[in-house]
Amino acid sequence: GQNIDQPTEMTATEGAIVQINCTYQTSGFNGLFWYQQHAGEAPTFLSYNVLDGLEEKGRFSSFLSRSKGYSYLLLKELQMKDSASYLCAVLDSNYQLIWGAGTKLIIKP
Amino acid sequence: ETGVTQTPRHLVMGMTNKKSLKCEQHLGHNAMYWYKQSAKKPLELMFVYNFKEQTENNSVPSRFSPECPNSSHLFLHLHTLQPEDSALYLCASSDPSGTVREQFFGPGTRLTVL
């Protein structure tokens, strides 16, 4: 079966750095996405990785290792507005997105 | 309007009612999706339309019936729902010919079945 695993909840302090991990087992791989979803709102696209390595976009970075079936999302200089759920999703061989259950990130002052 | 819009934002219905959810995208995409999001569960893909043709139906009960009259509009018709169908229903669109193929989501319809 296809499976995406990520922690259910994480807590971090404003101004700090947090890393959210995601491991996957899917039938085929055509890229990995990270989305942010604030409570009661739509998921919004954060990043896309299809090759191994680190993609940096401002305070957010995403890393991929295809051989390990592993990705992480790194958030730096945390702000209160970063409190949200972060969803990991993999595009499988049929170009369908397989989703993780999301990681709820709580930022404390 | 830009992006993906959904109406209504909130819906409360009884088990014998018939209602419809509407989604409209203004992004020029040719693929549209219906998802169900329940608390603490992964997004569940319900239906996929590519160029107005349904390409996926992930074992969704027949009480959910999709309709895609054109590449900009998507409907989800609801009939004789169960309380366990209460959830956030999200519509998304994407460009299936794009390199990245990210999906753009609407704000969702929060459905409560009594």
Side-chain angles (χ1 to χ4, degrees):
Chain A
Q2 309 204 87
N3 196 50
I4 309 275
D5 285 318
Q6 48 181 134
T8 303
E9 186 173 299
M10 298 182 71
T11 302
T13 305
E14 190 177 15
I17 299 173
V18 70
Q19 178 175 311
I20 303 173
N21 296 325
C22 171
T23 57
Y24 63 89
Q25 291 176 308
T26 56
S27 57
F29 179 85
N30 282 299
L32 185 143
F33 293 82
W34 283 97
Y35 279 79
Q36 180 191 61
Q37 186 177 24
H38 285 100
E41 297 183 11
T44 54
F45 170 75
L46 285 179
S47 68
Y48 171 75
N49 294 70
V50 67
L51 299 176
D52 289 352
L54 189 68
E55 295 280 343
E56 296 186 78
K57 192 185 293 185
R59 294 189 298 116
F60 293 8
S61 303
S62 56
F63 171 83
L64 174 68
S65 168
R66 287 172 297 171
S67 62
K68 295 182 179 178
Y70 168 71
S71 172
Y72 67 72
L73 180 69
L74 190 72
L75 291 75
K76 302 176 184 177
E77 302 169 15
L78 286 170
Q79 302 175 9
M80 297 303 292
K81 66 178 182 179
D82 297 329
S83 292
S85 288
Y86 292 85
L87 312 179
C88 174
V90 171
L91 203 58
D92 71 6
S93 56
N94 294 319
Y95 289 94
Q96 298 302 338
L97 275 177
I98 310 301
W99 295 84
T103 298
K104 182 178 180 181
L105 178 63
I106 299 168
I107 308 298
K108 295 186 174 179
Chain B
E1 287 202 67
T2 58
V4 183
T5 58
Q6 289 185 244
T7 54
R9 293 294 308 276
H10 300 272
L11 179 62
V12 179
M13 58 187 289
M15 290 191 285
T16 58
N17 291 158
K18 288 184 181 181
K19 296 286 184 184
S20 295
L21 309 184
K22 179 183 176 182
C23 174
E24 184 173 359
Q25 59 96 0
H26 308 268
L27 300 169
H29 292 161
N30 286 305
M32 295 187 77
Y33 312 79
W34 279 117
Y35 285 95
K36 177 183 179 182
Q37 188 174 36
S38 303
K40 300 186 179 180
K41 289 186 177 180
L43 282 169
E44 298 174 46
L45 180 64
M46 300 175 72
F47 301 104
V48 181
Y49 278 82
N50 273 298
F51 295 89
K52 301 187 297 178
E53 298 296 321
Q54 185 175 312
T55 57
E56 291 286 334
N57 174 351
N58 286 354
S59 304
V60 179
S62 59
R63 57 185 183 269
F64 294 91
S65 173
E67 179 189 359
C68 188
N70 56 61
S71 58
S72 298
H73 294 84
L74 187 64
F75 295 89
L76 188 63
H77 303 298
L78 316 172
H79 174 53
T80 323
L81 294 191
Q82 304 299 309
E84 59 265 29
D85 297 323
S86 298
L88 181 68
Y89 288 85
L90 291 164
C91 173
S93 71
S94 70
D95 175 4
S97 63
T99 304
V100 176
R101 306 192 189 203
E102 74 266 34
Q103 294 182 11
F104 294 80
F105 286 83
T109 296
R110 173 67 64 184
L111 174 66
T112 303
V113 181
L114 301 175

